[in-house]
Amino acid sequence: MIEPRADLVLLDLDGVLMDHRAAARAAVVAWLGPRATSEAVAAWFAAQDRRLAQWRAGALTWAEQRRARLRDVLPVLGGGERTDEELDLLFETEYLPAYERAWAAFPDARPAVDELRRSGVALAVLTNGSEQQQRAKLRATGLLDRVGPVFTAEALGVRKPDPRAFLTVCERLSVDPRRTLYVGDEHEVDVLGARGAGLQAVLLDRDGTAPQQEAAVIRGLAELRALVVPSGR
Ligand SMILES: [Mg+2]
């Protein structure tokens, strides 16, 4: 296990601080009601993962990936063809409000953030996703004032795992990438992405699905403080 000297702990948001998957599941169940079979919920997450990967690769815009997710899932629900406008309306009025109502921080997020702050290490957030929505998540979960500066893919103009996303944050905060520890829940996007940019990285593996070859793994945010040695201490 690593014991990095860190000037900055850079945190992912979805899956690390906020339980995106639980909120998304609650939203699908609320949206679909009795149609929320296990098949439909599985189809929703498969579509989400596939379309967000295409968005990360630059093949779809943010709006297009939302529509594509709905077009993937509606046939499973017996739905027919919809226009872009109908899909946007459906996403914004049926799925999104339920998703927002279900936003919650992981129970270990706030204690870990506060403990890291007390240790003297600087904190920041680097998250893929939209500026408005990611900030709203942090505000709704009571974390916005505690996590330091927030950098989103939308505002940066580049997305993880692009090394420029990580390096731009380090540059803006005047920290050495080698003394920055990225904490993320997606191995390729977060951990390999951060290392590719010269940062240190640790995988937060809440569900025990980490790749076997990965040595830098924690199972909860409470483990983070023990493995970060603030620089200058
Ligand atoms: Mg994540």
Side-chain angles (χ1 to χ4, degrees):
M1 181 56 89
I2 48 174
E3 277 189 20
R5 291 207 168 266
D7 295 321
L8 175 70
V9 172
L10 188 55
L11 297 156
D12 182 19
L13 173 53
D14 291 312
V16 169
L17 296 173
M18 198 202 85
D19 195 348
H20 157 75
R21 231 175 156 77
R25 178 176 296 275
V28 175
V29 168
W31 165 39
L32 297 180
R35 294 176 302 158
T37 59
S38 55
E39 186 198 5
V41 173
W44 177 260
F45 280 106
Q48 173 201 276
D49 293 347
R50 182 166 59 247
R51 299 309 185 175
L52 283 178
Q54 290 179 303
W55 168 76
R56 277 196 299 272
L60 297 175
T61 67
W62 188 250
E64 284 167 350
Q65 61 82 21
R66 283 182 170 176
R67 293 176 199 134
R69 280 154 70 180
L70 289 169
R71 285 202 168 98
D72 289 343
V73 171
L74 287 172
V76 180
L77 305 171
E81 278 294 296
R82 309 271 187 115
T83 65
D84 285 355
E85 292 71 25
E86 286 170 336
L87 293 175
D88 290 346
L89 190 69
L90 197 161
F91 199 97
E92 278 157 28
T93 60
E94 300 200 37
Y95 174 77
L96 211 49
Y99 177 53
E100 291 174 358
R101 276 195 302 277
W103 285 348
F106 285 105
D108 61 2
R110 188 160 163 173
V113 162
D114 289 349
E115 204 185 352
L116 284 167
R117 278 157 53 110
R118 280 196 299 273
S119 80
V121 72
L123 298 179
V125 167
L126 168 62
T127 167
N128 279 349
S130 83
E131 180 76 8
Q132 184 273 333
Q133 186 176 61
Q134 299 304 76
R135 284 184 180 277
K137 283 177 186 172
L138 286 165
R139 196 174 300 115
T141 54
L143 292 169
L144 187 60
D145 296 333
R146 316 175 93 84
V147 290
V150 177
F151 298 88
T152 65
E154 184 183 50
L156 291 171
V158 280
R159 305 151 191 158
K160 303 175 295 180
D162 189 320
R164 289 173 298 174
F166 300 95
L167 291 175
T168 304
V169 172
C170 293
E171 196 183 304
R172 296 235 184 118
L173 298 177
S174 304
V175 293
D176 185 340
R178 292 168 300 179
R179 285 178 174 259
T180 299
L181 175 67
Y182 193 75
V183 184
D185 65 312
E186 290 186 80
H187 192 247
E188 241 173 85
V189 173
D190 296 324
V191 173
L192 300 186
R195 285 185 192 140
L199 284 72
Q200 305 176 64
V202 62
L203 180 70
L204 175 57
D205 180 30
R206 292 188 183 276
D207 53 8
T209 56
Q212 272 192 343
Q213 75 277 13
E214 179 55 60
V217 177
I218 54 174
R219 293 298 302 268
L221 288 175
E223 293 173 52
L224 200 50
R225 173 63 192 93
L227 64 89
V228 175
V229 183
S231 291
R233 294 271 167 122

